[in-house]
Amino acid sequence: MERGNQTGVRNFLLVGFAEDPELQPLLFGLFLSMYLVTFTGNLAIILAVISDSHLHSPMYFFLSNLSFADIGFTSTTVPKMLLNLQTHSKVITYAGCLSQVFFFIVFGCLDNLILSVMAYDRFVAICHPLHYTVIMNPRVCGLLTLGSWSLSVTGSLLMTLTLLRLSFCRSMKIPHFFCDLPEVLKLACSNTIINNTVVYFMTIILGIFPLSGILFSYSKIFSSILRISSARGKYKAFSTCGSHLSVVSLFYSTGLGVYLSSAITSSSRTSLVASVMYTIVTPMLDPFIYSLRNRDMKGAFGRLVSRAPSLIRRAFRGL
């Protein structure tokens, strides 16, 4: 094939779900339902945190940012996949592919960094409860969130902009339902050593360091919980971080599954299933994990639902 970014050839082909045309209507309905559940659940968390004064605390502030990142994470890939399934098309433009790469990395890294910040928040709450309000003041919370956004955008820009120097002269088929950076790099016919160096460097900064922070925070948390004498006190302390620990486990286990499936097996179907778990299932489950055992969140949802009719009427009156 001609050099993709130096001639008129600007399209990639997403062939992830194109092998089974008879299954595409079923897949469309399944993924549309999952996307709507993901979008609605995470949006409900954001609205509940904004509108309910009971949730105006650092933990729920970070949770609302995590929900926003989850919405962005799925919205980067799923709508295009649904469009391709509905139109029986596999095409994504060169610019569209680069945009997908950029936003996928931004929201993926933001998920990772916010989870690390939330682990630090739980560490301060459990290990330094008397100083919690002083340490986790609004200014610190704002700076931690701004720093997470800045690092995510900067890292994604570096990894995406280095793609512009590449030429693509092989088959433009990507065995995924979205433009995954490693798969795009495999299609390049020019030297990718700079790209790989940037990816490894940013992976250490935006992946390894936040994970190390999470492990350090929880090592201190578990050590502090074990020193509590009463079983009731231990349960109460652990319950404050149980939901976050569940989300962290789900996020990193599915991410590890994607890496292992691509490294160990050559089956594109196995890698595809792992990617679906990571990019769609995990963001869909996060709102359920945070709301099912959280009384404050369930109460906020109830108050939000009860106020919804009046809010809708006000909106229509404004129109």
Side-chain angles (χ1 to χ4, degrees):
M1 182 173 287
E2 297 179 20
R3 300 175 77 85
N5 61 344
Q6 294 183 6
T7 68
V9 181
R10 292 287 185 176
N11 294 339
F12 290 90
L13 299 178
L14 302 175
V15 298
F17 294 111
E19 297 177 358
D20 301 309
E22 66 279 2
L23 290 179
Q24 289 187 4
L26 176 63
L27 292 174
F28 178 84
L30 175 63
F31 290 132
L32 177 61
S33 301
M34 295 172 70
Y35 177 68
L36 291 176
V37 170
T38 302
F39 191 92
T40 305
N42 284 288
L43 181 61
I45 288 180
I46 295 172
L47 293 176
V49 172
I50 292 174
S51 62
D52 200 304
S53 60
H54 295 86
L55 302 183
H56 291 175
S57 66
M59 180 177 72
Y60 294 113
F61 171 71
F62 295 135
L63 177 59
S64 65
N65 278 270
L66 181 68
S67 294
F68 184 84
D70 282 341
I71 290 175
F73 195 54
T74 54
S75 298
T76 298
T77 57
V78 177
K80 177 58 179 175
M81 176 185 65
L82 293 174
L83 178 64
N84 286 359
L85 287 173
Q86 183 67 13
T87 60
H88 303 286
S89 171
K90 298 177 287 186
V91 176
I92 184 171
T93 64
Y94 178 78
C97 188
L98 289 185
S99 298
Q100 257 197 0
V101 169
F102 172 75
F103 286 108
F104 185 80
I105 295 173
V106 166
F107 291 115
C109 291
L110 185 61
D111 257 333
N112 195 23
L113 291 168
I114 292 295
L115 286 173
S116 180
V117 169
M118 294 175 75
Y120 174 71
D121 173 73
R122 293 299 84 203
F123 159 71
V124 176
I126 293 174
C127 299
H128 305 283
L130 298 179
H131 301 93
Y132 178 75
T133 55
V134 176
I135 297 174
M136 300 303 295
N137 60 71
R139 181 174 179 273
V140 170
C141 294
L143 287 175
L144 288 172
T145 305
L146 179 61
S148 298
W149 273 97
S150 300
L151 284 173
S152 300
V153 171
T154 302
S156 183
L157 271 176
L158 288 173
M159 286 186 274
T160 306
L161 290 177
T162 52
L163 286 175
L164 297 176
R165 53 176 291 276
L166 299 180
S167 298
F168 299 92
C169 50
R170 304 177 188 177
S171 170
M172 304 294 278
K173 293 181 179 180
I174 299 175
H176 260 300
F177 59 91
F178 67 97
C179 287
D180 191 24
L181 179 59
E183 298 297 333
V184 174
L185 290 177
K186 290 178 183 178
L187 301 178
C189 59
S190 49
N191 195 322
T192 61
I193 186 170
I194 295 178
N195 301 76
N196 291 329
T197 301
V198 171
V199 169
Y200 293 145
F201 179 71
M202 298 312 301
T203 298
I204 293 173
I205 294 177
L206 301 175
I208 304 301
F209 284 173
L211 177 59
S212 300
I214 291 173
L215 294 176
F216 174 80
S217 295
Y218 272 104
S219 67
K220 294 296 184 180
I221 287 172
F222 290 143
S223 176
S224 180
I225 290 176
L226 290 175
R227 290 198 296 268
I228 300 175
S229 56
S230 67
R232 181 183 178 87
K234 289 180 180 179
Y235 175 79
K236 184 177 180 180
F238 184 77
S239 64
T240 62
C241 58
S243 296
H244 177 258
L245 187 59
S246 299
V247 170
V248 167
S249 302
L250 184 63
F251 180 81
Y252 283 103
S253 61
T254 52
L256 183 63
V258 172
Y259 172 77
L260 292 178
S261 65
S262 59
I264 296 177
T265 179
S266 59
S267 172
S268 60
R269 181 59 57 88
T270 302
S271 179
L272 196 63
V273 172
S275 295
V276 168
M277 290 293 296
Y278 181 64
T279 58
I280 303 177
V281 176
T282 298
M284 182 184 70
L285 293 179
D286 285 355
F288 294 99
I289 293 174
Y290 271 104
S291 61
L292 288 179
R293 297 182 61 186
N294 190 311
R295 294 180 182 177
D296 292 337
M297 189 60 70
K298 286 191 287 188
F301 282 152
R303 289 186 288 272
L304 181 64
V305 171
S306 65
R307 289 199 301 266
S310 62
L311 293 175
I312 294 174
R313 284 195 297 268
R314 290 178 186 175
F316 277 108
R317 287 173 187 170
L319 295 175

